[in-house]
Amino acid sequence: DDLHLLAALGYFFERRGWRVSRAPEGRTGVELYDRDAPDVVVTDLEMPGLSGLDVVSVLRARDPEAVVLVLTGHGDVATAVEALQRGAENFLTKPVDYTHLEVATARALEKALLRRLIEVST
């Protein structure tokens, strides 16, 4: 829901050599997921249209292996639990701790890549 943060996060990940697609709201994010098949999704909790929780539910329904991190400035324990129950990989709070975000994203990416490797070998 914050275009400046959206740009900053995209730049942050691109500087680390990761390919990035950006969406200013949930529905566009789901469309980009369908088009680009990313390894990891980072979504805000509060967005116009689909919320981050809805994005997690939609992506996990379409792809049970979807790896989604939820980022929010409005986090509480109940919301974090709900995000994880819907299938989010992690729940991170704002202001963004970029070191923590990088570690969480790298772990999520590693998990996604290991799943693909297991699928290919079976």
Side-chain angles (χ1 to χ4, degrees):
D1 66 340
D2 178 342
L3 295 179
H4 296 293
L5 181 58
L6 180 66
L9 289 174
Y11 179 73
F12 173 79
F13 288 123
E14 287 170 341
R15 295 272 305 175
R16 277 140 188 84
W18 295 340
R19 188 173 52 91
V20 175
S21 298
R22 295 174 183 83
E25 52 87 26
R27 289 204 192 284
T28 305
V30 170
E31 291 169 6
L32 287 175
Y33 185 87
D34 291 340
R35 186 189 78 197
D36 297 344
D39 295 314
V40 176
V41 173
V42 178
T43 184
D44 200 341
L45 182 66
E46 299 292 329
M47 295 182 292
L50 291 177
S51 72
L53 292 177
D54 293 335
V55 168
V56 173
S57 294
V58 168
L59 294 183
R60 295 285 294 184
R62 290 180 183 198
D63 177 4
E65 302 300 321
V67 179
V68 185
L69 307 177
V70 177
L71 180 65
T72 184
H74 310 286
D76 59 31
V77 173
T79 306
V81 168
E82 184 175 357
L84 296 173
Q85 287 175 336
R86 290 188 186 205
E89 186 70 27
N90 208 328
F91 187 87
L92 307 162
T93 58
K94 296 177 194 174
V96 176
D97 176 334
Y98 283 94
T99 300
H100 187 204
L101 177 63
E102 182 174 15
V103 169
T105 305
R107 284 184 184 154
L109 178 60
E110 182 178 309
K111 184 175 182 177
L113 295 177
L114 285 172
R115 282 183 184 158
R116 285 197 185 135
L117 183 61
I118 290 168
E119 287 174 9
V120 169
S121 66
T122 56

